[in-house]
């Protein structure tokens, strides 16, 4: 089978036709998919019919998978395999979560602009998010192109930013929401990690900002100055001209490059509609400071 690309925007988002993610991918298709992924950064694969295992197997062709941080949650039963991040609004009994549930509060973090797992020493490379059931209104996912955002900065600003290092922690993003309900054990398991603020994507040579709600300070800067810089850059990068909004259809599989994009989920009536979204996440090759 050979795949066809339909660009949705000139250089950021493309739809992939002719790839069935439920069957083993040929090397030729993998090559074409990777080329498309590096060029665009967000790929939409409509009409996929995947079991959990097929979702995992497909994602693995792009590299080794992360295990979900939910797997670290002591005493909590998982609805899905630990190689899948459960980004649904469902509890372990498959019911819509409660208004005050901890999972709901924790996942409010997905409404902030972020890249996945930048709070891990080895952050995420690719995320593959699959819509098993979709809300009838809202619940879109927005993506921002951090390469375009970097290219659009004045040259002097670009050189000021190269070489800066940000400190990322899941507790920074959750604190922004007022969520502090973590045990000492959870805090100890995820200490803050450094990530570069500007990265070069090896496959294309393109430079990109590297931002996330998880970034809380810039090393060597007063905390206030670092936060102000991160806020300013995020506001710059998420201007309309850099953003694509994905309106989900049932059984869409969306793949994005966390090295050079931001994303966030938008609101929907999450106490009423089931939105069963599951994510397989491919790990990056190392910490971004080691590149
Ligand atoms: C994710 C995520 C947003 C959404 O799966 O990593 O941030 O719209 N999802 O569900
Ligand atoms: Mn995410």
């Amino acid at each position: 089978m050979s795949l066809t690309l339909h660009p949705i925007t000139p250089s950021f988002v493309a739809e992939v036709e002719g790839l069935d993610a439920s069957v083993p991918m040929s090397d030729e298709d993998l090559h074409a998919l990777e080329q498309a992924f590096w060029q665009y950064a967000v790929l939409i694969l409509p009409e996929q019919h995947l079991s959990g295992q097929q979702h995992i197997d497909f994602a693995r062709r792009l590299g080794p998978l992360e295990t979900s941080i939910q797997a670290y949650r002591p005493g909590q039963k998982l609805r899905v395999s630990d190689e899948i991040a459960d980004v649904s609004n469902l509890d372990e009994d498959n019911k819509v979560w409660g208004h005050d549930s901890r999972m709901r509060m924790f996942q409010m973090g997905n409404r902030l602009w972020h890249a996945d797992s930048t709070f891990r020493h080895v952050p995420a490379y690719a995320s593959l998010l699959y819509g098993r059931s979709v809300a009838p209104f809202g619940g879109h996912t927005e993506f921002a192109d951090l390469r375009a955002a970097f290219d659009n900065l004045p040259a002097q600003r670009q050189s000021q930013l190269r070489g800066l290092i940000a400190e990322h922690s899941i507790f920074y993003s959750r604190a922004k929401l007022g969520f502090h309900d973590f045990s000492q054990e959870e805090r100890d398991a995820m200490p803050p990690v450094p990530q570069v603020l500007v990265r070069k994507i090896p496959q294309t040579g393109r430079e990109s900002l590297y931002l996330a709600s998880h970034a809380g300070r810039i090393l060597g800067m007063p905390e206030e100055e670092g936060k102000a810089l991160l806020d300013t850059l995020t506001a710059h990068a998420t201007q309309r001209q850099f953003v694509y909004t994905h309106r989900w259809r049932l059984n869409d599989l969306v793949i994005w490059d966390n090295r050079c994009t931001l994303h966030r989920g938008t609101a929907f009536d999450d106490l009423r509609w089931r939105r069963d979204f599951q994510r397989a996440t491919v790990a990056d090759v190392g910490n971004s400071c080691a590149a």
Side-chain angles (χ1 to χ4, degrees), residues 270-281:
D270 64 301
L271 299 175
R272 182 173 176 209
W273 306 111
R274 296 168 70 85
R275 183 181 190 260
D276 190 357
F277 277 37
Q278 300 178 11
R279 191 186 81 217
T281 316

Side-chain angles (χ1 to χ4, degrees), residues 85 87 109-112 114 116 127 129 139-142 248 256 258 263-266 275 277-279:
V87 283
N110 283 347
R111 304 260 183 101
L112 306 179
H114 67 283
D116 291 331
S127 289
L129 186 60
H140 312 314
T141 308
E142 299 183 312
W248 289 85
W256 65 86
N258 287 291
H263 63 279
R264 67 173 178 186
T266 68
R275 183 181 190 260
F277 277 37
Q278 300 178 11
R279 191 186 81 217

Side-chain angles (χ1 to χ4, degrees), residues 61-94:
R61 291 302 305 277
L62 298 175
L65 302 190
E66 290 184 349
T67 47
S68 157
I69 53 171
Q70 292 156 88
Y72 298 123
R73 287 192 202 168
Q76 198 165 316
K77 230 170 66 191
L78 295 181
R79 209 174 60 91
V80 293
S81 132
D82 69 356
E83 284 169 303
I84 295 281
D86 188 357
V87 283
S88 73
N89 60 336
L90 305 174
D91 66 18
E92 56 190 47
D93 301 317
N94 252 326

